Amino acid sequence: MAVRLAILHVANSNCVFLSSKKKGDSMMTKRNGIIVLFTAFTMVLGLATNSPVSYAEENGNSLNAVDENRFSELVEGFHENDFIRAGEYVEALPNFSELSLEELDVLVANYMISNLLRLRSTYLPPTAYGGLNAKEVALAKNHPFEATQFYGSSQVAINYTKTKFGRNGFQDASDAFRHAMWNGNLTQRIGASRAKVWTDAHEAYSSGIDKQMDLHNNQLGRTIGKNYGSTNPGINVKNMADKIYSEIKAGKGKVIKNNKLVSSKF
């Protein structure tokens, strides 16, 4: 679509000039025709080779600069680690803090389309990558940058859980901490309401007391996360992790023992 628009733009900008020539001035007409085609070709080449950053900047970081259909088609084949890498990429940009959410969406989508696909085959099914669930895919299609924060915060939670408990367990206190930490860090990044949308999507296909446990601990993490803003995030993340750990230890979280949902106190 972008290529077609580029050619039309160049052709339309020159059509008045070409049509104003006399019929006998065939050499001039041919020469200008060649110029039009050459200019269109160079523009197409530029669109194909520009980096995601320069491409977005040259197009005003407009969402029109993204092949949205292409991105939507590819989302199901992306792994959560792909979003983490894209998030690290945009967060390292010198003007990151000045970019709007819409501009960040453009940069993430362009990065993933133009960079990640070079590193893997696009013919493998989504399950080959441990793909996103259907609810996460739907969100990621419309909110690429939030997806990077969603999966980035999950990695933060996994790392802190390993530090605090020495493991990432299942249905135990470490599990409760991991979910709370995930939601707390995500709240720091995109706010509690959007964090809830994403983590609810993640739990969409779970059920029973396992789902009850996760939703409870998710809410605990968001509540705590509201008190630890994004200012000086390194310190705040550590302090928040300590707070969440103490709350889980005090029994504010939920775990499963003997198929029953009980206090996380230990």
Side-chain angles (χ1 to χ4, degrees):
M1 180 182 295
V3 170
R4 184 171 69 251
L5 290 176
I7 295 174
L8 289 175
H9 173 74
V10 175
N12 288 337
S13 66
N14 286 276
C15 64
V16 175
F17 176 74
L18 289 173
S19 62
S20 67
K21 298 302 174 184
K22 296 178 181 179
K23 291 182 179 179
D25 197 0
S26 60
M27 290 297 293
M28 180 65 73
T29 302
K30 289 180 180 179
R31 185 173 68 83
N32 285 316
I34 292 172
I35 291 173
V36 170
L37 292 175
F38 177 76
T39 307
F41 175 76
T42 55
M43 287 185 68
V44 170
L45 184 62
L47 287 174
T49 58
N50 273 351
S51 69
V53 178
S54 62
Y55 183 45
E57 288 175 348
E58 289 173 8
N59 289 273
N61 289 330
S62 168
L63 281 176
N64 293 330
V66 178
D67 186 343
E68 296 181 54
N69 291 332
R70 179 65 171 152
F71 180 73
S72 294
E73 291 171 359
L74 296 171
V75 164
E76 294 183 45
F78 289 136
H79 189 278
E80 61 186 66
N81 288 337
D82 297 331
F83 284 98
I84 292 173
R85 287 173 57 193
E88 292 171 346
Y89 162 74
V90 296
E91 289 168 21
L93 295 174
N95 62 335
F96 170 71
S97 61
E98 302 169 6
L99 297 172
S100 68
L101 183 57
E102 185 177 77
E103 290 169 329
L104 290 168
D105 281 340
V106 168
L107 291 171
V108 168
N110 273 323
Y111 176 83
M112 297 185 78
I113 290 173
S114 63
N115 287 277
L116 297 180
L117 292 183
R118 300 174 189 169
L119 305 178
R120 66 153 63 126
S121 168
T122 60
Y123 298 105
L124 292 175
T127 52
Y129 309 122
L132 323 181
N133 74 37
K135 295 288 186 180
E136 293 170 323
V137 166
L139 282 171
K141 286 180 178 180
N142 294 311
H143 308 284
F145 176 71
E146 285 188 351
T148 70
Q149 302 305 290
F150 178 59
Y151 296 112
S153 61
S154 73
Q155 190 59 54
V156 169
I158 289 170
N159 293 342
Y160 268 96
T161 304
K162 180 69 173 178
T163 298
K164 295 288 188 182
F165 291 88
R167 67 185 186 281
N168 275 276
F170 177 62
Q171 297 184 345
D172 61 1
S174 72
D175 191 355
F177 173 86
R178 184 175 62 252
H179 275 264
M181 186 66 197
W182 185 6
N183 277 257
N185 186 237
L186 188 56
T187 295
Q188 289 180 305
R189 295 169 180 239
I190 63 174
S193 61
R194 292 303 296 171
K196 184 179 188 303
V197 169
W198 278 92
T199 54
D200 282 356
H202 182 73
E203 305 294 347
Y205 302 103
S206 63
S207 60
I209 59 173
D210 186 61
K211 182 171 185 174
Q212 293 175 38
M213 171 185 166
D214 291 344
L215 291 178
H216 175 89
N217 295 322
N218 289 351
Q219 180 59 55
L220 175 64
R222 291 193 298 272
T223 299
I224 295 173
K226 292 178 184 178
N227 298 319
Y228 293 84
S230 58
T231 304
N232 203 347
I235 295 176
N236 282 341
V237 171
K238 182 182 182 303
N239 291 342
M240 182 181 67
D242 291 341
K243 176 64 174 178
I244 291 175
Y245 181 83
S246 67
E247 293 291 274
I248 295 296
K249 187 173 183 179
K252 298 295 180 63
K254 295 292 184 183
V255 299
I256 296 174
K257 291 182 179 179
N258 301 318
N259 290 322
K260 292 183 179 180
L261 197 63
V262 298
S263 165
S264 63
K265 188 173 182 178
F266 65 94

